[in-house]
Amino acid sequence: MKKLAKMTISLLLILAILAGCGSSAPSTEGKDNTEETTKADDIITVGFSQLGAESDWRSANTDSMLEAFSESEGYSLIYKNGQQKQANQITAIRTFIQQEVDYIVLAPSTEDGWETVLGEAREAGIPVILVDRRVNAADKNLYSCWVGSDFELEGKKMAAWIKAYTEGIGVEPSDLHMVNIQGSMGSTAQIGRTRGLANAARDNGWDLMAEISGDFTETKGREVMAALLKRFDNINVVYCENDNMAIGAIDAIESAGKKVGSNIKRGEIMVVSFDGVNKTALEYAKEGKISCIAECNPLHGPRVKALIEKLRNGETPEKFNYVDETLFSSVSGVDEVVVDGQTYKIERNY
Ligand code: AHR
């Protein structure tokens, strides 16, 4: 049955090429390559449902997947960009099931609402590998494994850095007037990073004045920050849940005539963020406009490929596979932070 489907698809592909309408190359600009289905039987077909293209992190993540699952490596990757909509991702998974792909890789937009479609993939006997964010499903057997970041740990590391730095310069905890520009609500990255800050604010007595989503985009980061500056005149720490939003927020702060930087005693507004992928953000971190960045590593392509290869060899990979990550900062005063008994050195060369 599967062979017949593949032969039919191959035939359609040949006819399309002969008709001069070959499929477009995959790109991180939002296009996908559903038409570019598979060829020979020895090629492994992977359907990849990416959630969107909201940030530089996401583009780097997509590129990493496209590179790892190249034809020269024996794979045919069917890439679908969900355009930030879970409904599109669900449709993509159903299409992959119809196409009888060998593996499905899902980078889920949010945590909830996947059980039905993952059940359909299981019924069809297609293993699902989760990448980056996670799904909230009571039945963990709906997917084979997951690889990505420990987002709450990222938040805890950032909070530990803020605590160490502000204690070092002698700022009272209650004098830290913070806002959190959150990522897309309900995503694992947002949930973990928000929790990391909220718990630390409660435990340390920081004044966390507002938590508002900027949807992980520069435009929304700018809009949210501009609105927050109108609402509060005492903000001195801006915790941005990714670099793109931090860039937008910095623009809004400077446009309002205020200065970004770590010298909050002299009235500067301290911005911290997550990722460490965007070049401008890394430049800002070197200049001190972003005081600290908690790394979130997007290069999951080879990691997902290694998991699929284990499955192909009949091995059972670890269920949850975490990536090691660091903190980037050029601000002096903090050389390391300790979280849950583990020491993390601050990276100065980046
Ligand atoms: O899930 C990872 C997060 O998603 C990254 O921090 C953010 O930039 C992206 O959009």
Side-chain angles (χ1 to χ4, degrees), residues 94 222 272 340:
R94 294 203 165 119
R222 184 180 295 106
V272 297
D340 299 334

Side-chain angles (χ1 to χ4, degrees), residues 313-331:
N313 292 335
E315 295 168 46
T316 308
E318 289 288 318
K319 193 83 184 176
F320 299 104
N321 301 275
Y322 292 95
V323 172
D324 288 337
E325 294 169 332
T326 188
L327 288 163
F328 305 116
S329 176
S330 300
V331 176

Side-chain angles (χ1 to χ4, degrees), residues 249-302:
I250 288 169
D251 192 24
I253 294 167
E254 291 178 338
S255 301
K258 297 182 189 277
K259 197 162 184 291
V260 287
S262 54
N263 200 340
I264 52 182
K265 281 188 143 178
R266 287 230 181 113
E268 291 180 352
I269 297 181
M270 186 165 87
V271 175
V272 297
S273 71
F274 295 82
D275 284 355
V277 175
N278 177 293
K279 285 204 174 80
T280 306
L282 288 168
E283 272 311 310
Y284 280 3
K286 281 181 193 153
E287 293 166 21
K289 279 192 178 192
I290 297 179
S291 295
C292 186
I293 297 177
E295 183 193 14
C296 181
N297 189 306
L299 306 178
H300 296 321

Side-chain angles (χ1 to χ4, degrees), residues 54-55 57-58 132-133 151 189 193 216 241-242 244 274-275 296:
E54 73 285 1
S55 63
W57 188 100
R58 188 64 50 200
D132 173 29
R133 303 174 186 176
F151 298 107
R193 291 170 188 166
F216 284 128
E241 291 186 3
N242 86 346
N244 289 82
F274 295 82
D275 284 355
C296 181

